[in-house]
Amino acid sequence: MPHLTASADARRIAGGEQLGFGVPGYAHPLLAPAEWAELARPGTPLHWAVLNIANGPGSRPDPHCLEAAGRLRNARERALHGEAPGDTVRASGGRLLGHLDLAHGERPFDELIADARSFIDWYRIGGFYLARCPADRARLPAVRRLTGTLHALLAESDSADGGGRLVLGHGTHPHPGYAEAADQLVTFQGPWTDYRWSQVAEWTADYPPERFAHFVHGVPRTHLEEAMRVARWQGAGTIFFTDRNDREGRSGQSDPFAALPSYWDEIVSRIGPGISE
């Protein structure tokens, strides 16, 4: 049983929350066509997916990524505006987020904003995923400056409904002040062997589950239910679980989150159909 530090009272409603997927970034659409097609499949409980061409937007618009982005954007439009409220199976309603690598706070502000503008202009993304985001208190002001500017750029864009979404990819529990700098924090990213015994920071109990995401690799099919219980108990509303691991396979792909888990259909059915916002 995982050692959790949050009280039962603080997590009393977590079990009833609707889990959904956050996809840290599939491989290029040419290499992962099935993965990108699944994101727009009706009923997929997708919260967001990350577009990452070359550790960012690339040097020019990629036609294959433009097509994948358009399909996901159209699916979201159907979910939000085109489906009858009583439908039991809805279109995917997930946002497409542009990948910005903060390099633990080492990348220049102007460089990040230039990448952000390219994502907005070329792919009409609905937010940003800030990978390798710092977690310490000292870098919090710089991250707040960046997220404030990104929110302003998204508010000016006609593609980011609701002002867009910002997700900080810490991969661990950051200083509590980061919770006010973005819409969602990734507070765990790692293997199942660590996740099943992980602890949640007590300050997270002050926020609802939609503010936190967990990415776990190496989750056996037989432990899916246990993994989802851990996520709910720790107060995470967005997840990505996979049985793939971080060892390089025959395909040369070392990122365990770059492809579908072998039990994708099963985990989709366990979570249930996507619900439009």
Side-chain angles (χ1 to χ4, degrees):
M1 184 69 185
H3 300 292
L4 308 174
T5 60
S7 68
D9 180 66
R11 303 295 172 184
R12 63 188 181 280
I13 64 170
E17 294 291 335
Q18 176 80 11
L19 287 174
F21 296 120
V23 179
Y26 282 146
H28 190 280
L30 275 178
L31 301 176
E35 281 79 357
W36 283 96
E38 282 296 316
L39 296 182
R41 188 177 72 172
T44 301
L46 178 69
H47 290 167
W48 47 263
V50 177
L51 179 64
N52 183 10
I53 293 88
N55 205 30
S59 58
R60 63 182 62 86
D62 183 306
H64 303 286
C65 293
L66 286 169
E67 181 182 357
R71 284 199 303 267
L72 188 58
R73 189 165 54 249
N74 291 338
R76 179 170 174 79
E77 285 297 313
R78 291 194 301 270
L80 297 181
H81 308 297
E83 300 288 330
D87 286 349
T88 56
V89 177
R90 299 174 185 263
S92 167
R95 296 177 189 266
L96 184 67
L97 307 183
H99 175 104
L100 298 177
D101 184 1
L102 271 59
H104 306 296
E106 297 300 322
R107 284 193 69 196
F109 175 85
D110 291 345
E111 189 176 296
L112 290 164
I113 295 303
D115 278 358
R117 291 186 185 277
S118 295
F119 267 121
I120 291 173
D121 293 344
W122 298 344
Y123 300 106
R124 299 182 62 208
I125 47 84
F128 293 102
Y129 179 78
L130 280 59
R132 296 200 294 171
C133 184
D136 59 298
R137 183 174 185 175
R139 294 189 186 268
L140 177 57
V143 172
R144 280 181 167 167
R145 178 193 177 203
L146 176 62
T147 57
T149 304
L150 293 176
H151 269 307
L153 290 176
L154 290 166
E156 296 170 359
S157 169
D158 61 359
S159 64
D161 54 280
R165 186 169 187 81
L166 299 181
V167 180
L168 303 184
H170 307 286
T172 188
H173 287 96
H175 182 274
Y178 283 91
E180 304 305 321
D183 302 290
Q184 192 174 58
L185 314 179
V186 179
T187 53
F188 184 92
Q189 181 169 338
W192 166 242
T193 50
D194 292 342
Y195 186 63
R196 68 184 308 190
W197 307 112
S198 62
Q199 296 182 350
V200 61
E202 292 186 2
W203 63 262
T204 63
D206 295 333
Y207 297 90
E210 61 262 26
R211 299 298 303 280
F212 303 104
H214 293 169
F215 302 148
V216 190
H217 60 78
V219 181
R221 181 190 299 269
T222 53
H223 289 276
L224 265 181
E225 191 62 40
E226 181 184 355
M228 285 192 284
R229 284 200 302 270
V230 174
R232 290 189 173 102
W233 184 251
Q234 293 199 10
T238 301
I239 61 170
F240 192 87
F241 295 158
T242 180
D243 52 347
R244 299 177 184 275
N245 55 51
D246 59 357
R247 294 190 298 273
E248 187 171 346
R250 284 180 290 180
S251 66
Q253 176 57 256
S254 60
D255 182 358
F257 304 113
L260 288 171
S262 67
Y263 43 62
W264 174 256
D265 287 340
E266 180 177 344
I267 194 170
V268 168
S269 66
R270 283 174 181 258
I271 292 177
I275 298 177
S276 61
E277 298 173 8

